[in-house]
Amino acid sequence: MDRQQFFGDSVTGTLLRLVLLSIVVGIVFSVLGITPFNLIERLQQLARGILDLGVDVFRSAFGYFLLGAVVVIPVWFIVRLLKLGRAGGHRR
């Protein structure tokens, strides 16, 4: 892949547009009081929040599993014992 194909236009034109767009975005962020360090900190908080949410979902799912297993496993075991008793101990 050559540079022309990567940039989609002339290299100089693409770099000029990127510089101008960066200046415009920098002005908007400055007006909003957003600094590079502030932005990185917010992204870290977002990542931590997503991770915490994932851990909470796993913890909740595991709790639901345990709650259901308290009923499902004994019922399954009893049903299996009853089927064995009816079949006379023979496997099908």
Side-chain angles (χ1 to χ4, degrees), residues 14-24:
T14 300
L15 291 177
L16 184 60
R17 281 193 296 277
L18 288 173
V19 167
L20 291 175
L21 185 60
S22 295
I23 290 171
V24 170

PDB file of all heavy atoms in Angstrom, residues 14-24:
ATOM      1  N   THR A  14      -3.989  15.975   2.992  1.00  0.00           N
ATOM      2  CA  THR A  14      -4.548  15.244   4.130  1.00  0.00           C
ATOM      3  C   THR A  14      -3.968  15.770   5.438  1.00  0.00           C
ATOM      4  O   THR A  14      -4.703  15.987   6.406  1.00  0.00           O
ATOM      5  CB  THR A  14      -4.249  13.737   3.999  1.00  0.00           C
ATOM      6  OG1 THR A  14      -4.835  13.262   2.785  1.00  0.00           O
ATOM      7  CG2 THR A  14      -4.823  12.956   5.158  1.00  0.00           C
ATOM      8  N   LEU A  15      -2.657  15.982   5.492  1.00  0.00           N
ATOM      9  CA  LEU A  15      -2.037  16.500   6.713  1.00  0.00           C
ATOM     10  C   LEU A  15      -2.552  17.889   7.058  1.00  0.00           C
ATOM     11  O   LEU A  15      -2.796  18.201   8.227  1.00  0.00           O
ATOM     12  CB  LEU A  15      -0.516  16.508   6.573  1.00  0.00           C
ATOM     13  CG  LEU A  15       0.146  15.119   6.542  1.00  0.00           C
ATOM     14  CD1 LEU A  15       1.642  15.255   6.319  1.00  0.00           C
ATOM     15  CD2 LEU A  15      -0.137  14.364   7.821  1.00  0.00           C
ATOM     16  N   LEU A  16      -2.751  18.728   6.033  1.00  0.00           N
ATOM     17  CA  LEU A  16      -3.284  20.081   6.265  1.00  0.00           C
ATOM     18  C   LEU A  16      -4.692  20.007   6.860  1.00  0.00           C
ATOM     19  O   LEU A  16      -5.010  20.719   7.819  1.00  0.00           O
ATOM     20  CB  LEU A  16      -3.281  20.878   4.957  1.00  0.00           C
ATOM     21  CG  LEU A  16      -3.720  22.331   5.060  1.00  0.00           C
ATOM     22  CD1 LEU A  16      -2.803  23.108   5.999  1.00  0.00           C
ATOM     23  CD2 LEU A  16      -3.731  22.975   3.691  1.00  0.00           C
ATOM     24  N   ARG A  17      -5.546  19.131   6.308  1.00  0.00           N
ATOM     25  CA  ARG A  17      -6.903  18.985   6.849  1.00  0.00           C
ATOM     26  C   ARG A  17      -6.874  18.464   8.286  1.00  0.00           C
ATOM     27  O   ARG A  17      -7.648  18.911   9.127  1.00  0.00           O
ATOM     28  CB  ARG A  17      -7.723  18.054   5.966  1.00  0.00           C
ATOM     29  CG  ARG A  17      -8.254  18.741   4.712  1.00  0.00           C
ATOM     30  CD  ARG A  17      -9.318  17.929   4.002  1.00  0.00           C
ATOM     31  NE  ARG A  17      -8.822  16.656   3.477  1.00  0.00           N
ATOM     32  CZ  ARG A  17      -8.191  16.517   2.303  1.00  0.00           C
ATOM     33  NH1 ARG A  17      -7.976  17.580   1.544  1.00  0.00           N
ATOM     34  NH2 ARG A  17      -7.769  15.337   1.904  1.00  0.00           N
ATOM     35  N   LEU A  18      -5.976  17.533   8.564  1.00  0.00           N
ATOM     36  CA  LEU A  18      -5.870  17.014   9.924  1.00  0.00           C
ATOM     37  C   LEU A  18      -5.420  18.090  10.904  1.00  0.00           C
ATOM     38  O   LEU A  18      -5.923  18.173  12.028  1.00  0.00           O
ATOM     39  CB  LEU A  18      -4.903  15.822   9.967  1.00  0.00           C
ATOM     40  CG  LEU A  18      -5.425  14.522   9.337  1.00  0.00           C
ATOM     41  CD1 LEU A  18      -4.312  13.490   9.283  1.00  0.00           C
ATOM     42  CD2 LEU A  18      -6.609  13.987  10.103  1.00  0.00           C
ATOM     43  N   VAL A  19      -4.482  18.937  10.490  1.00  0.00           N
ATOM     44  CA  VAL A  19      -4.010  20.027  11.352  1.00  0.00           C
ATOM     45  C   VAL A  19      -5.140  21.009  11.628  1.00  0.00           C
ATOM     46  O   VAL A  19      -5.390  21.399  12.781  1.00  0.00           O
ATOM     47  CB  VAL A  19      -2.792  20.744  10.723  1.00  0.00           C
ATOM     48  CG1 VAL A  19      -2.502  22.057  11.427  1.00  0.00           C
ATOM     49  CG2 VAL A  19      -1.565  19.837  10.753  1.00  0.00           C
ATOM     50  N   LEU A  20      -5.873  21.406  10.586  1.00  0.00           N
ATOM     51  CA  LEU A  20      -6.983  22.348  10.765  1.00  0.00           C
ATOM     52  C   LEU A  20      -8.090  21.766  11.635  1.00  0.00           C
ATOM     53  O   LEU A  20      -8.628  22.437  12.517  1.00  0.00           O
ATOM     54  CB  LEU A  20      -7.538  22.784   9.409  1.00  0.00           C
ATOM     55  CG  LEU A  20      -6.608  23.674   8.573  1.00  0.00           C
ATOM     56  CD1 LEU A  20      -7.209  23.931   7.200  1.00  0.00           C
ATOM     57  CD2 LEU A  20      -6.346  24.990   9.297  1.00  0.00           C
ATOM     58  N   LEU A  21      -8.437  20.511  11.407  1.00  0.00           N
ATOM     59  CA  LEU A  21      -9.465  19.857  12.210  1.00  0.00           C
ATOM     60  C   LEU A  21      -9.015  19.741  13.664  1.00  0.00           C
ATOM     61  O   LEU A  21      -9.810  19.954  14.589  1.00  0.00           O
ATOM     62  CB  LEU A  21      -9.787  18.478  11.636  1.00  0.00           C
ATOM     63  CG  LEU A  21     -10.928  17.724  12.306  1.00  0.00           C
ATOM     64  CD1 LEU A  21     -12.231  18.498  12.206  1.00  0.00           C
ATOM     65  CD2 LEU A  21     -11.087  16.352  11.683  1.00  0.00           C
ATOM     66  N   SER A  22      -7.738  19.445  13.884  1.00  0.00           N
ATOM     67  CA  SER A  22      -7.210  19.361  15.244  1.00  0.00           C
ATOM     68  C   SER A  22      -7.304  20.705  15.950  1.00  0.00           C
ATOM     69  O   SER A  22      -7.631  20.768  17.139  1.00  0.00           O
ATOM     70  CB  SER A  22      -5.755  18.885  15.234  1.00  0.00           C
ATOM     71  OG  SER A  22      -5.671  17.557  14.748  1.00  0.00           O
ATOM     72  N   ILE A  23      -7.031  21.791  15.232  1.00  0.00           N
ATOM     73  CA  ILE A  23      -7.128  23.139  15.817  1.00  0.00           C
ATOM     74  C   ILE A  23      -8.574  23.437  16.195  1.00  0.00           C
ATOM     75  O   ILE A  23      -8.862  23.931  17.292  1.00  0.00           O
ATOM     76  CB  ILE A  23      -6.558  24.199  14.859  1.00  0.00           C
ATOM     77  CG1 ILE A  23      -5.032  24.042  14.765  1.00  0.00           C
ATOM     78  CG2 ILE A  23      -6.924  25.613  15.318  1.00  0.00           C
ATOM     79  CD1 ILE A  23      -4.383  24.896  13.691  1.00  0.00           C
ATOM     80  N   VAL A  24      -9.517  23.125  15.305  1.00  0.00           N
ATOM     81  CA  VAL A  24     -10.934  23.389  15.583  1.00  0.00           C
ATOM     82  C   VAL A  24     -11.395  22.580  16.794  1.00  0.00           C
ATOM     83  O   VAL A  24     -12.047  23.114  17.701  1.00  0.00           O
ATOM     84  CB  VAL A  24     -11.804  23.080  14.341  1.00  0.00           C
ATOM     85  CG1 VAL A  24     -13.281  23.103  14.679  1.00  0.00           C
ATOM     86  CG2 VAL A  24     -11.496  24.058  13.224  1.00  0.00           C
TER      87      VAL A  24
END
